Amino acid sequence: MALPPTHPLVDGRTQSSPLIRAFRGERPETLPVWFMRQAGRSLPEYRALRTDVAMLDACLDPALASEITLQPVRRHGVDAGILFSDIVVPVRLGGVGVEIAPGRGPVLEHPIRSASDVAALRPIDPDVFSPIREAVALTVAELGSTPLIGFAGAPFTVAAYLVEGGPSKDHLRARTLMHSDPHTWAALMNWAADAAGEFLRAQVEAGASAVQLFDSWAGSLGVDDYVRRVAPHSRRALDHLRGLDVPTVHFGVGAGDLLAAMRGVGADVIGVDWRMPLSEANRRLGGSTPLQGNIDPALLAAPWPVLEAHVREVVDSGRAAPAHVVNLGHGVPPDTDPDTLTRLVELVHSLPR
């Protein structure tokens, strides 16, 4: 199945945008920039909207999710919107009890830790994503030539949440299950992969011009575990996009040793966190892969001359790659001054490509 004729990549709205050109491996006249977690808690207009609305309820309200997605595009002039959602939205829509606890993150009503728990997970029905499709369609109609990025949590990160029952520093239970009961682990990862894949597909079919697969916890894995027990399932998630010609980005936190393996799952672009210079990431990837990143989020709170010098270093390092989309090495911290982000966008757009 191909993209519909009304899709922004097909009807010409976003095909020539700086972001899509860079994702395709070109060097547009202006360096594109967007920020992970650009929509949300750093913006006062977001906090005003979310006063009495739970996080997942906001994600599943199409009009509200669309408005929150558009806020940073209007304010900062970034080169893409990214759908306001959460990696556990497919988990909730798949019938699993999960809430996002303020200040903590996703918390499972009943963690998934046994073969019977995994067997009780029901297959994902693509129809459950109708609120997501509606939110994307509303947003794309407003964005015009600015692309919308869809996203999903990678199977390992989602499965780890399911097993741990919530956030974890070391993911011990998940890694134990991976080795002690590999069949149950594989079944859980397949479920998470299909949930992520259907989530991505719904966003793309509704108008997203690119997607990003977030493996926030991949850095807890060694290369062998990643290649043998995680990568095939990430590939399965992206395989849901077969026939839909959209750029795909793969990003992991603390995943410097995994970059080549992460590209190997089928991603077009690799996101790099703040721990590794883009020039080194480019070397590890053989000089053939567009890169995204990797401003240190901590420096958003530093004096402007410090941040400016760092941004220039990141851009200089990114010139080693075939193409570069400027981003943070992780998400926008909640206490970031929005004016700093706006100023950062202006700086990036002023730099030579």
Side-chain angles (χ1 to χ4, degrees), residues 258-283:
L258 307 178
L259 293 180
M262 292 177 70
R263 180 187 58 187
V265 308
D268 302 306
V269 182
I270 292 296
V272 184
D273 79 359
W274 69 93
R275 294 172 176 87
M276 177 183 293
L278 293 178
S279 55
E280 172 60 15
N282 180 65
R283 187 191 68 79

Side-chain angles (χ1 to χ4, degrees), residues 177-197:
L177 179 63
M178 177 190 295
H179 289 277
S180 63
D181 191 347
H183 293 293
T184 295
W185 173 255
L188 175 60
M189 287 287 280
N190 281 341
W191 185 89
D194 291 340

Side-chain angles (χ1 to χ4, degrees), residues 225-275:
D225 277 348
Y226 181 84
V227 169
R228 294 177 58 199
R229 305 179 191 277
V230 172
H233 305 282
S234 294
R235 186 177 300 112
R236 178 176 175 136
L238 292 179
D239 279 349
H240 283 259
L241 298 177
R242 280 184 179 171
L244 304 177
D245 184 20
V246 295
T248 56
V249 186
H250 203 1
F251 170 75
V253 180
D257 290 339
L258 307 178
L259 293 180
M262 292 177 70
R263 180 187 58 187
V265 308
D268 302 306
V269 182
I270 292 296
V272 184
D273 79 359
W274 69 93
R275 294 172 176 87

Side-chain angles (χ1 to χ4, degrees), residues 2-329:
L3 294 171
T6 56
H7 191 280
L9 286 175
V10 178
D11 66 19
R13 274 175 287 168
T14 62
Q15 185 68 264
S16 299
S17 66
L19 181 95
I20 297 302
R21 288 178 61 195
F23 279 168
R24 300 284 196 198
E26 300 178 35
R27 284 275 176 178
E29 291 71 21
T30 303
L31 266 175
V33 54
W34 67 279
F35 305 111
M36 291 180 279
R37 291 187 188 152
Q38 66 186 16
R41 52 197 179 172
S42 68
L43 297 182
E45 55 265 45
Y46 165 80
R47 293 193 291 271
L49 282 179
R50 278 284 319 281
T51 303
D52 299 312
V53 185
M55 173 67 179
L56 290 180
D57 291 340
C59 294
L60 294 171
D61 180 324
L64 187 56
S66 176
E67 171 58 23
I68 294 170
T69 301
L70 292 166
Q71 287 176 343
V73 181
R74 296 192 198 108
R75 178 186 273 263
H76 303 312
V78 284
D79 294 284
I82 182 164
L83 182 67
F84 176 75
S85 192
D86 192 272
I87 64 170
V88 297
V89 162
V91 173
R92 161 72 78 84
L93 293 177
V96 178
V98 61
E99 296 293 342
I100 297 181
R104 185 180 175 199
V107 178
L108 275 292
E109 186 177 346
H110 301 293
I112 309 297
R113 292 178 180 164
S114 67
S116 60
D117 290 337
V118 175
L121 294 170
R122 64 179 190 235
I124 297 291
D125 179 352
D127 289 343
V128 301
F129 293 112
S130 58
I132 305 303
R133 293 174 182 273
E134 185 178 347
V136 169
L138 289 171
T139 306
V140 168
E142 294 292 326
L143 283 174
S145 61
T146 301
L148 177 69
I149 301 171
F151 78 93
F156 174 73
T157 291
V158 173
Y161 269 117
L162 292 172
V163 174
E164 302 290 343
S168 165
K169 291 182 179 179
D170 48 27
H171 321 113
L172 282 176
R173 287 191 178 97
R175 290 189 289 123
T176 297
L177 179 63
M178 177 190 295
H179 289 277
S180 63
D181 191 347
H183 293 293
T184 295
W185 173 255
L188 175 60
M189 287 287 280
N190 281 341
W191 185 89
D194 291 340
E198 290 296 339
F199 188 36
L200 291 174
R201 189 171 188 97
Q203 293 170 78
V204 169
E205 289 179 341
S209 292
V211 296
Q212 177 160 305
L213 193 63
F214 283 86
D215 216 344
S216 306
W217 290 356
S220 68
L221 298 169
V223 175
D224 187 60
D225 277 348
Y226 181 84
V227 169
R228 294 177 58 199
R229 305 179 191 277
V230 172
H233 305 282
S234 294
R235 186 177 300 112
R236 178 176 175 136
L238 292 179
D239 279 349
H240 283 259
L241 298 177
R242 280 184 179 171
L244 304 177
D245 184 20
V246 295
T248 56
V249 186
H250 203 1
F251 170 75
V253 180
D257 290 339
L258 307 178
L259 293 180
M262 292 177 70
R263 180 187 58 187
V265 308
D268 302 306
V269 182
I270 292 296
V272 184
D273 79 359
W274 69 93
R275 294 172 176 87
M276 177 183 293
L278 293 178
S279 55
E280 172 60 15
N282 180 65
R283 187 191 68 79
R284 295 189 182 195
L285 291 166
S288 61
T289 303
L291 298 181
Q292 179 176 276
N294 64 341
I295 298 164
D296 187 342
L299 271 64
L300 294 176
W304 175 254
V306 175
L307 176 58
E308 180 180 1
H310 174 59
V311 171
R312 290 178 181 273
E313 288 174 358
V314 167
V315 170
D316 285 344
S317 187
R319 290 197 176 98
H324 179 204
V325 172
V326 180
N327 206 309
L328 302 179

Side-chain angles (χ1 to χ4, degrees), residues 42-44 75-76 300-301 332-343:
S42 68
L43 297 182
R75 178 186 273 263
H76 303 312
L300 294 176
V332 175
D335 58 352
T336 300
D337 182 347
D339 291 342
T340 298
L341 293 179
T342 304
R343 192 174 181 186

